[in-house]
Amino acid sequence: PAAHRLAVFRLVQEALTNARKHAPDAPVRVRVDYRPPAPLVEIINTAGTPTRQAVPSGFGLVGLRERVEALGGHLTAGPGGAGSWRLAARIPHPAPGPGPGPASASASASASEQIGPA
């Protein structure tokens, strides 16, 4: 679904932005495993060169957590060991809904016949 694809995009975007701000020269590993039942998005950056300037923080992680939880998923963000930072999310695939079947197709045909010119 589009909401899931957008959430994955935003997770990667926010993690790369944070890595650039807080660990500017650190390598970053991005993993997207988009398989049912719950795709995994994981971004890990190693410790970078500390910046001397204060880096303003926003509400990026708060917004990501809300987006992931709204889709029934779970987000973790924090130290990943050896000075690294890890952002990971699992977002379950939604249950497949009923698709258009013969009953709904015939109902559509009946409705269009009734709406057409008399």
Side-chain angles (χ1 to χ4, degrees):
H4 285 68
R5 291 191 310 265
L6 182 59
V8 168
F9 174 80
R10 293 289 186 218
L11 284 160
V12 173
Q13 182 182 43
E14 180 67 20
L16 292 175
T17 298
N18 286 346
R20 187 188 72 215
K21 284 171 42 176
H22 301 289
D25 297 326
V28 178
R29 187 183 81 201
V30 176
R31 176 181 169 204
V32 177
D33 186 0
Y34 203 76
R35 288 183 282 175
L40 169 69
V41 180
E42 180 181 57
I43 302 95
I44 299 173
N45 64 274
T46 59
T49 306
T51 59
R52 295 185 188 265
Q53 300 173 0
V55 180
S57 293
F59 297 100
L61 290 177
V62 172
L64 287 180
R65 186 175 313 280
E66 290 172 357
R67 180 185 300 262
V68 168
E69 288 175 357
L71 294 170
H74 179 72
L75 177 89
T76 59
S84 67
W85 184 264
R86 179 177 182 264
L87 175 73
R90 285 203 177 271
I91 306 169
H93 280 283
S104 60
S106 65
S108 296
S110 297
S112 64
E113 291 169 1
Q114 292 171 2
I115 296 173

